[in-house]
Amino acid sequence: MKRIIVTGGCGFIGSNFIRHLWTTDPGVTIVNIDKLTYAGNPENLADIEDDSRYEFQQGDICDREFLERVFAEQPVDAVVNFAAESHVDRSILDSGPFVRTNIVGTQQLLDVSRQLEVPKYVQVSTDEVYGSLGSDGYFTEETPLAPNSPYSASKTAADLLVRAYHHTFDFPAVITRCSNNYGPYQFPEKLIPLFLANAQKDESLPVYGTGNNVRDWIHVLDHCRGVEAALRQGCPGEVYNFGGRTEFTNLELTKLLLRLLGKPESLIRFVTDRPGHDLRYAIDCSKAENELGWKPQVPFEQGLRETIDWYQQNRQWVEHIQSGEYREYYQRQYGQRLSSTS
Ligand code: NAD
Ligand code: DAU
């Protein structure tokens, strides 16, 4: 692997992935293409931004001319597409940016990659494309696609384009589908960093509905190692699921967070449920374990404690985010103002 294009590298998982690859593979040069939406934060990679093996190109994956220019600068050995609108609640407020970036952006990346005969393409997808489980069973790579939110529908459409490009053009693409990530640099609109930020200010934690919805949590570095394994060893045309084998109801997780923070459960506030809220996600990741030699390594409570420490030591990072556009989103989503952090 020499020159790898990573899209969405200023977001949560993309920045962790770039740092992971940059640290573990001295032979790699990484070009990060990111539009810098509200979720894109160059601060996430401030520690490597001046290094000669890292290059940042600000731009939109829907912009064909921009992509052609960046791709043509030097041969590209692989593309890993993380760029997306990623938050389910925002997709319920307005699905337009999701359709544009997640579907049209993927199509543009596929076309440019095919045109320049890029030898490997990884589409970073999600377990949400499989829809929702009842109280038992697991998503496998064979589970029928049945997305329920505008976000997951747009990710599914992208996956189907990738599948079709492989089938029609023999395009060398793999798809990865992962469960809920947690860890450093996650934007504080998602459950864990939002609840950490609120609890630190003794503000209420808005649990949707009854709190009985179940998610399967995986540390972001375990996901990054999975994407790397799919990049290096994944068989074109194949799909690989990644998960943490760590299921919690949202209420159980919220109580665990409060216990680790030493905060009272009275901070829990049950609020109106997310429309169409998927009940349960749980991943069977045995294919990745058997075929890629991958397995999740970070024990959940240890990873969560480290994540809490990271957010406590990086309050300024959260404070920078909790300004501007995010304040307006918070007011709209939760019907209350985000208090000042200082
Ligand atoms: P994120 O919202 O933190 O980051 C997304 C990044 O993409 C941001 O840096 C943003 O600026 C960039 N971006 C958005 N639109 C763009 C465009 N048009 N052109 C270029 N860049 C653009 O997202 P995340 O949580 O890091 O998720 C990354 C990927 O992983 C997404 O594809 C998501 O669907 C997938 N995924 C996420 C999770 C999870 O738990 N967060 C789990 C499974 C899969
Ligand atoms: O499963 C993978 C997916 O995980 C990714 O594809 C998405 O990009 C990522 O955002 C995440 O989706 P979720 O909707 O599961 O994550 P979120 O953190 O938004 O919510 C987790 C659970 O917590 C979900 O059941 C909704 C609930 N929730 C969330 C928020 C933000 C609350 O109860 N209150 C909240 O304020």
Side-chain angles (χ1 to χ4, degrees):
M1 293 288 169
K2 290 180 213 116
R3 186 174 185 249
I4 298 184
I5 292 194
V6 177
T7 69
C10 291
F12 164 46
I13 308 172
S15 60
N16 277 286
F17 178 77
I18 288 177
R19 184 177 294 96
H20 167 73
L21 207 61
W22 179 87
T23 308
T24 56
D25 184 350
V28 80
T29 297
I30 300 160
V31 181
N32 173 12
I33 290 180
D34 198 299
K35 183 180 174 184
L36 298 185
T37 66
Y38 79 92
N41 186 351
E43 270 186 69
N44 296 1
L45 289 169
D47 51 331
I48 66 164
E49 68 186 358
D50 295 326
D51 189 85
S52 60
R53 292 194 291 117
Y54 172 72
E55 177 187 331
F56 175 55
Q57 293 276 356
Q58 184 175 358
D60 189 337
I61 59 166
C62 301
D63 180 347
R64 180 64 169 265
E65 280 178 24
F66 162 74
L67 290 180
E68 284 177 348
R69 182 176 59 71
V70 176
F71 274 60
E73 275 171 12
Q74 279 180 50
V76 177
D77 295 289
V79 171
V80 184
N81 181 24
F82 288 95
E85 290 293 336
S86 70
H87 192 39
V88 172
D89 293 324
R90 287 186 189 251
S91 81
I92 294 168
L93 295 172
D94 179 9
S95 61
F98 289 74
V99 170
R100 188 174 174 278
T101 287
N102 300 0
I103 307 176
V104 178
T106 298
Q107 177 235 328
Q108 296 295 350
L109 276 174
L110 289 170
D111 280 341
V112 175
S113 302
R114 198 168 79 81
Q115 185 181 312
L116 294 179
E117 299 182 353
V118 171
K120 193 76 179 269
Y121 178 101
V122 180
Q123 177 72 8
V124 180
S125 186
T126 168
D127 61 357
E128 297 198 12
V129 299
Y130 298 123
S132 185
L133 292 164
S135 54
D136 55 14
Y138 295 91
F139 295 135
T140 74
E141 289 80 358
E142 309 305 322
T143 301
L145 303 180
N148 288 319
S149 72
Y151 160 71
S152 55
S154 68
K155 292 294 290 185
T156 307
D159 284 12
L160 292 178
L161 276 173
V162 175
R163 179 184 182 279
Y165 273 57
H166 173 72
H167 184 84
T168 308
F169 307 116
D170 205 20
F171 180 70
V174 301
I175 297 173
T176 63
R177 295 187 180 136
C178 191
S179 63
N180 286 61
N181 287 217
Y182 71 96
Y185 301 102
Q186 185 167 30
F187 194 90
E189 66 190 350
K190 306 283 167 64
L191 180 84
I192 288 180
L194 172 68
F195 283 14
L196 285 179
N198 284 14
Q200 279 168 351
K201 292 181 282 174
D202 294 313
E203 289 189 353
S204 61
L205 312 188
V207 173
Y208 294 158
T210 58
N212 285 328
N213 302 69
V214 174
R215 294 293 182 266
D216 170 1
W217 294 93
I218 181 172
H219 193 274
V220 64
L221 278 181
D222 278 331
H223 183 195
C224 292
R225 284 187 272 265
V227 172
E228 182 189 10
L231 171 68
R232 295 188 192 279
Q233 307 153 53
C235 187
E238 292 295 318
V239 175
Y240 300 95
N241 284 350
F242 299 111
R245 298 190 194 279
T246 307
E247 291 183 51
F248 282 98
T249 68
N250 293 335
L251 194 54
E252 287 167 343
L253 176 58
T254 305
K255 288 181 177 175
L256 174 60
L257 277 173
L258 288 169
R259 181 166 64 75
L260 295 179
L261 288 165
K263 298 285 183 178
E265 289 187 8
S266 56
L267 285 178
I268 294 172
R269 180 170 63 104
F270 291 97
V271 300
T272 308
D273 208 353
R274 171 185 281 175
H277 197 171
D278 284 337
L279 178 65
R280 175 171 166 258
Y281 304 145
I283 281 270
D284 176 346
C285 50
S286 50
K287 178 177 174 183
E289 290 177 335
N290 295 333
E291 296 183 18
L292 300 177
W294 169 92
K295 65 174 176 5
Q297 295 173 24
V298 183
F300 183 69
E301 198 161 319
Q302 178 196 319
L304 194 58
R305 282 179 194 277
E306 287 168 8
T307 302
I308 290 172
D309 287 348
W310 188 88
Y311 278 91
Q312 284 177 335
Q313 284 157 19
N314 289 275
R315 281 174 194 243
Q316 218 186 14
W317 181 90
V318 177
E319 283 166 24
H320 283 177
I321 288 169
Q322 292 189 329
S323 60
E325 190 273 351
Y326 185 64
R327 303 189 79 78
E328 286 160 34
Y329 165 77
Y330 196 88
Q331 166 90 49
R332 202 166 154 201
Q333 177 66 17
Y334 298 102
Q336 67 179 63
R337 286 160 72 89
L338 189 68
S339 76
S340 171
T341 42
S342 49

